[in-house]
């Protein structure tokens, strides 16, 4: 008789509306124009999603100069610097922007602050494509990146009374709160976003993990090593009381020695991880343990983003 294991399954988990839309954009582009359709950067940070789209005829490239002029190109959900669509237009390419509308909202905010003459701080992680896309909305030097509370202390503004901040959408709500508090303490007149920049899906997935964490002996987050929101979920679980939390790409990456002494497993998936990977991990647990699955629902998501007009069905 295999030993019992309770699996607490987070709801919501996995794909968010922005990821759903981005994947659909590539699929619809392939349907409309045929293969190959080029995609600048991974459309979303998940190798399973990327390899499925590659099998359908998508070609993933790092830069626009790797794309031929006569084939369509899709820009990833993370957003791109303004220079990229400008260059595509100059080359008279067919292009579709799959930037998540919540990321686009941050871009619009940053541009508004720049028009109003404010110096802008972006709270985010260096090197992340979303950060590169946001910073690339404005001329170089218009925006400064702040990654930690320590960065706040060493930041030297041009005018401490004329600042604004925006944030990367996939950060931990708690981490951002600490940095925002430090900014507001040091620069009381700093302009904040009208509404939180952290996306609803990031917030909801983190809240679900917080609710489950104290009950779990081990927490597994399904997601890619390159996925910022998935990595944050691992940290949130540890911070909220789970003794051990790991990021795994799929069931194949699980080290089953982690399960020694584990009676309750917390399980979730980052915003770019497909549901079949979650079910695959549950099946792998079922093969080894006598499992009980308890879905823990902390929010219901009904957000749907429209496709770009060029792909809307006539």
């Amino acid at each position: 008789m295999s030993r019992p294991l309770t699996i607490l399954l987070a709801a919501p988990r996995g794909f968010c509306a922005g990821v759903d839309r981005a994947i659909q954009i590539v699929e619809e582009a392939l349907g409309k124009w045929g293969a190959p359709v080029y995609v600048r950067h991974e459309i979303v940070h998940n190798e399973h999603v990327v390899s499925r789209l590659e099998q359908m005829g998508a070609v993933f490239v790092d830069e626009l100069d790797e794309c031929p002029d006569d084939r369509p190109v899709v820009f990833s959900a993370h957003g791109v610097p303004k220079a990229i669509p400008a260059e595509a237009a100059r080359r008279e390419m067919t292009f579709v922007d799959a930037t998540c509308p919540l990321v686009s909202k941050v871009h619009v905010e940053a541009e508004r602050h720049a028009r109003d003459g404010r110096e802008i701080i972006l709270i985010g992680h260096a090197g992340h494509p979303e950060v590169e896309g946001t910073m690339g909305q404005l001329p170089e030097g218009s925006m400064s990146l702040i990654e930690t509370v320590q960065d706040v202390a060493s930041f030297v503004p041009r005018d401490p009374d004329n600042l604004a901040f925006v944030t990367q959408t996939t950060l931990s709500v708690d981490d951002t709160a600490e940095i925002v508090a430090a900014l507001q303490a040091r620069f009381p007149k700093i302009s904040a976003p009208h509404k939180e920049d952290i996306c609803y899906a990031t917030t909801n997935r983190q809240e679900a993990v917080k609710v489950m964490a104290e009950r779990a002996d081990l927490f597994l987050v399904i997601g890619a090593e390159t996925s910022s929101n998935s990595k944050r979920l691992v940290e949130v679980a540890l911070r909220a009381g789970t003794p051990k939390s790991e990021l795994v790409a799929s069931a194949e990456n699980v080290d089953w020695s982690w399960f020694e002494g584990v009676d309750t497993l917390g399980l979730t998936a980052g915003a770019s991880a497909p549901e079949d990977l979650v079910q695959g991990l549950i099946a792998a647990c079922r093969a080894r343990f006598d499992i009980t699955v308890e879905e823990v629902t902390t929010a219901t998501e009904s957000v749907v983003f429209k496709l770009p007009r060029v792909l809307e069905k006539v």
Side-chain angles (χ1 to χ4, degrees), residues 138-152:
L138 295 168
E140 210 165 316
S142 309
M143 209 179 288
S144 302
L145 183 65
I146 291 226
E147 297 187 78
T148 63
V149 170
Q150 288 72 30
D151 288 349
V152 175

Side-chain angles (χ1 to χ4, degrees), residues 199-256:
C199 97
Y200 78 92
T202 299
T203 303
N204 288 349
R205 279 148 193 69
Q206 290 179 12
E207 283 305 317
V209 168
K210 284 179 190 173
V211 166
M212 294 157 55
E214 279 186 13
R215 292 176 59 196
D217 307 309
L218 167 67
F219 219 108
L220 294 183
V221 177
I222 298 177
E225 196 53 48
T226 47
S227 164
S228 172
N229 78 83
S230 302
K231 284 180 156 175
R232 301 294 83 76
L233 290 171
V234 174
E235 294 164 8
V236 167
L238 290 170
R239 202 180 281 160
T242 301
K244 187 174 179 61
S245 180
E246 299 285 348
L247 179 67
V248 293
S250 68
E252 291 162 26
N253 307 98
V254 172
D255 178 344
W256 295 100

Side-chain angles (χ1 to χ4, degrees), residues 27-209:
E27 292 169 347
E28 293 287 334
L30 284 161
K32 178 167 181 163
W33 292 299
V37 165
Y38 285 76
V39 184
R40 185 187 176 276
H41 285 178
E42 292 185 342
I43 186 71
V44 295
H45 282 152
N46 190 279
E47 63 188 54
H48 297 268
V49 171
V50 166
S51 89
R52 182 176 71 79
L53 292 171
E54 279 177 335
Q55 285 161 14
M56 292 171 68
V59 178
F60 291 86
V61 296
D62 287 329
E63 293 305 338
L64 198 62
D65 57 20
E66 297 169 64
C67 304
D69 290 353
D70 61 347
R71 294 305 304 160
V73 60
V74 176
F75 302 140
S76 84
H78 311 103
V80 291
K82 271 213 163 126
I84 305 295
E87 173 61 9
R90 190 193 67 76
R91 286 171 57 186
E92 299 183 353
M93 299 171 80
T94 298
F95 61 92
V96 188
D97 189 352
T99 300
C100 171
L102 297 176
V103 175
S104 298
K105 180 176 81 71
V106 176
H107 292 179
V108 169
E109 264 172 33
E111 289 184 307
R112 180 173 56 79
H113 288 310
R115 271 199 312 275
D116 293 344
R118 295 189 187 97
E119 184 178 357
I120 303 158
I121 289 168
L122 170 62
I123 302 171
H125 292 304
H128 190 280
E130 185 187 324
V131 165
E132 290 174 356
T134 300
M135 294 190 84
Q137 297 306 302
L138 295 168
E140 210 165 316
S142 309
M143 209 179 288
S144 302
L145 183 65
I146 291 226
E147 297 187 78
T148 63
V149 170
Q150 288 72 30
D151 288 349
V152 175
S154 57
F155 175 67
V156 181
R158 291 193 292 270
D159 176 358
D161 291 339
N162 197 24
L163 288 170
F165 74 87
V166 293
T167 78
Q168 184 181 331
T169 61
T170 52
L171 294 182
S172 148
V173 179
D174 296 335
D175 285 350
T176 313
E178 287 174 32
I179 296 170
V180 168
L183 279 172
Q184 289 173 330
R186 195 170 161 217
F187 308 112
K189 292 186 175 171
I190 194 166
S191 287
H194 290 314
K195 194 168 177 286
E196 279 303 313
D197 285 340
I198 308 282
C199 97
Y200 78 92
T202 299
T203 303
N204 288 349
R205 279 148 193 69
Q206 290 179 12
E207 283 305 317
V209 168

Side-chain angles (χ1 to χ4, degrees), residues 5-10 13 220 222 248 250-252 254 256 259 265-268 275-295:
L5 175 72
T6 299
I7 298 177
L8 304 176
L9 183 58
R13 62 181 176 275
L220 294 183
I222 298 177
V248 293
S250 68
E252 291 162 26
V254 172
W256 295 100
F259 283 75
L265 169 70
L267 179 59
T268 191
E275 179 63 16
D276 58 355
L277 297 180
V278 176
Q279 297 307 323
L281 203 150
I282 292 172
C285 289
R286 187 173 282 119
R288 292 166 174 83
F289 306 101
D290 177 17
I291 69 167
T292 306
V293 178
E294 180 191 328
E295 193 160 62

